[in-house]
Amino acid sequence: PKVTRQVRFPKTSPGFITSIVYVKQLSLFVAAALDMSFKLYNRRLELIETISHEERAILAMEYDESRRIIVMAGATGVTMWRLYRTTTVSMEYVIERVYKFASLAGLWISRICLDQNASGQVYAFSDKSVYVLDLDKRKCNYHLENIHESTLTSICWYERSQFYMTGCLGGKIKCWTALHWKKK
């Protein structure tokens, strides 16, 4: 691969951008930065706008194109955001939080995964636990807590047989039937 454009940050700010998603409808990259702001970049990776927010650390983001929402996770749990362009003279971008999953408030969610095969389903990872979120109903459907000996890295829903498979840093894979699910 050929590098066509590179964005650099000061050496004193390693990991300054914690997560980035592409919003196709607006042709924008949205990045979460450690200075508690969102950085908006065009397709040439030129900074267009910086928007401050009051969330603590945002560690992961996923963009759901069909719902036109950005799902974010971090130090305060999981939230859903919408980005749009105003029709004022300045044509500024606005990003607003539309929902916060109250049942995950206060949990440190290090990673999320939008399931492309299960419409509106997001997996939120917190150390050795995983939470199955429904974006349409805006609730946590299930949670599997402390299910591995080491940090969870992946989850997969196998619809035909109705079970989840999880994997962890320790190299183990486990299969969970509906008997293991806990309704949240």
Side-chain angles (χ1 to χ4, degrees):
K2 180 182 171 188
V3 176
T4 57
R5 177 91 166 116
Q6 191 171 11
V7 179
R8 292 189 184 266
F9 300 100
K11 288 184 180 182
T12 57
S13 300
F16 182 69
I17 298 295
T18 58
S19 187
I20 190 165
V21 294
Y22 183 67
V23 179
K24 187 176 181 179
Q25 294 89 346
L26 299 172
S27 297
L28 282 178
F29 288 98
V30 178
L34 288 177
D35 65 354
M36 293 178 64
S37 73
F38 298 112
K39 308 291 184 189
L40 305 182
Y41 295 93
N42 64 17
R43 291 180 61 172
R44 294 184 304 279
L45 293 180
E46 298 165 335
L47 182 63
I48 302 294
E49 193 170 342
T50 297
I51 302 173
S52 296
H53 62 77
E54 294 183 11
E55 296 288 311
R56 288 176 43 213
I58 294 174
L59 304 176
M61 296 190 304
E62 289 275 352
Y63 181 65
D64 187 329
E65 191 172 338
S66 64
R67 290 166 184 76
R68 295 186 175 194
I69 59 164
I70 302 171
V71 183
M72 298 184 191
T76 59
V78 178
T79 53
M80 294 175 9
W81 297 72
R82 188 166 315 280
L83 174 69
Y84 57 91
R85 195 163 189 182
T86 64
T87 55
T88 62
V89 175
S90 59
M91 295 295 286
E92 297 172 324
Y93 290 95
V94 174
I95 187 163
E96 64 180 348
R97 185 173 67 189
V98 293
Y99 188 75
K100 182 173 187 165
F101 287 89
S103 61
L104 302 182
L107 280 178
W108 188 274
I109 305 295
S110 59
R111 198 168 139 269
I112 55 175
C113 178
L114 181 65
D115 190 334
Q116 300 298 330
N117 299 318
S119 180
Q121 191 163 282
V122 171
Y123 307 118
F125 296 86
S126 179
D127 195 28
K128 300 172 188 173
S129 303
V130 65
Y131 302 86
V132 181
L133 307 176
D134 185 320
L135 298 180
D136 293 327
K137 294 178 182 173
R138 296 183 176 185
K139 68 176 194 164
C140 180
N141 283 339
Y142 307 106
H143 65 280
L144 297 166
E145 293 184 340
N146 297 314
I147 58 173
H148 279 272
E149 295 74 34
S150 58
T151 303
L152 275 163
T153 57
S154 59
I155 185 170
C156 174
W157 168 243
Y158 188 61
E159 187 172 2
R160 191 173 93 186
S161 296
Q162 301 289 300
F163 63 80
Y164 287 100
M165 293 181 68
T166 57
C168 69
L169 283 176
K172 289 187 179 178
I173 296 173
K174 294 183 179 183
C175 180
W176 305 95
T177 64
L179 298 173
H180 299 102
W181 302 344
K182 297 177 184 174
K183 290 270 189 190
K184 192 74 172 163

